[in-house]
Amino acid sequence: MIGMSRLYERRLLSRNNVRILVLSLREQRILEEAGFKVKYLPPGCPQARPLLPTNVGSPPELVVSGTFGWSFKRRDAAWLERAILQPSNFSSVLRMFSDATFNGSIPGQTDLEKLPQDQTLRVGIVPDRFVTGMKLKVLWYIANNCVVLSPRGLGEEFSNVPHADRFVRVFSDVRSFDGLISSLEGFEDWDAFAQFRAACLKRFDWTARALDVFGGVFSDD
């Protein structure tokens, strides 16, 4: 059944009247390697907080954003709580803000709507372990002054963005997760974070992305 579905998809994408738009550089690379003509249309970043962070919690506060209605997302959210958050060295002192659909429960968990509009640098977590391209929640995290941690590598989407290797990081287990959290305690390199954030806001500028859609993205160029 899966083979038939992929065959149908290939035939559909090969039609001359079908235009393939992708949100991620990873998807663009994979489809171009398969012989398809693709246009890369990155998503737009939500409105950013006007102030850059000037402090960091001890330990840094966590943010889990996004919906978890899809079974794969529920599975990975449960993994995050069971394998990472509960056994974490910081589980008894962490403060975490999360969307209501995240069903995890650790001490200090607070609804995301209560996230303070302050200048604190926080840690935005992407629980998803399944392979995919750009995660839209990553841009929300960056706009809201978060370092991004994910069990999947997202660096390809931030190629040539200064300091992306410092602020979009990968963890695989509780040990690497705790290490990344610890590394942010006492963080003071605000110039590096400012350069990273500004470059992301420029690359994923919402107005520019809208102009791409309405200003010729469907042309044959």
Side-chain angles (χ1 to χ4, degrees), residues 121-126 133-135 137-143 145-171 180 183-184 187 192-193 196-197 199-200 203-204:
L121 182 72
R122 296 184 170 88
V123 177
I125 304 178
V126 180
M134 171 59 72
K135 303 284 188 178
K137 63 173 67 69
V138 172
L139 298 182
W140 188 90
Y141 286 148
I142 294 170
N145 295 334
C146 292
V147 174
V148 180
L149 302 188
S150 169
R152 283 290 184 185
L154 301 171
E156 185 173 2
E157 308 306 321
F158 296 90
S159 58
N160 300 320
V161 171
H163 308 293
D165 58 333
R166 296 181 61 185
F167 302 120
V168 182
R169 306 290 294 276
V170 178
F171 67 92
L180 290 171
S183 69
L184 292 174
F187 179 84
F193 185 79
F196 164 74
R197 184 175 182 265
C200 289
R203 174 177 291 192
F204 301 102

Side-chain angles (χ1 to χ4, degrees), residues 40-146:
Y40 170 55
L41 183 65
C45 194
Q47 183 175 1
R49 296 190 181 193
L51 298 176
L52 287 171
T54 56
N55 63 287
V56 61
S58 181
E61 297 173 337
L62 306 184
V63 181
V64 179
S65 178
T67 58
F68 298 91
W70 189 33
S71 61
F72 288 100
K73 288 181 175 289
R74 289 198 305 271
R75 176 203 65 189
D76 290 344
W79 167 82
L80 176 68
E81 181 186 20
R82 180 186 69 256
I84 304 298
L85 297 181
Q86 288 183 350
S88 170
N89 290 334
F90 308 103
S91 61
S92 62
V93 292
L94 277 176
R95 186 181 185 193
M96 185 177 77
F97 300 90
S98 62
D99 280 340
T101 55
F102 177 73
N103 294 322
S105 178
I106 66 168
Q109 184 170 328
T110 306
D111 193 280
L112 189 62
E113 293 182 356
K114 298 180 182 179
L115 183 70
Q117 297 293 313
D118 57 19
Q119 296 170 270
T120 299
L121 182 72
R122 296 184 170 88
V123 177
I125 304 178
V126 180
D128 306 347
R129 292 180 295 167
F130 54 88
V131 178
T132 187
M134 171 59 72
K135 303 284 188 178
L136 299 181
K137 63 173 67 69
V138 172
L139 298 182
W140 188 90
Y141 286 148
I142 294 170
N144 285 272
N145 295 334
C146 292

Side-chain angles (χ1 to χ4, degrees), residues 14-57:
S14 298
R15 292 179 179 176
N16 292 331
N17 62 338
V18 172
R19 303 308 305 272
I20 306 175
L21 303 181
V22 296
L23 294 177
S24 75
L25 290 172
R26 176 183 179 276
E27 292 169 318
Q28 181 187 32
R29 173 177 53 79
I30 291 174
L31 288 172
E32 286 182 342
E33 289 174 352
F36 295 107
K37 185 177 181 180
V38 182
K39 285 206 173 185
Y40 170 55
L41 183 65
C45 194
Q47 183 175 1
R49 296 190 181 193
L51 298 176
L52 287 171
T54 56
N55 63 287
V56 61

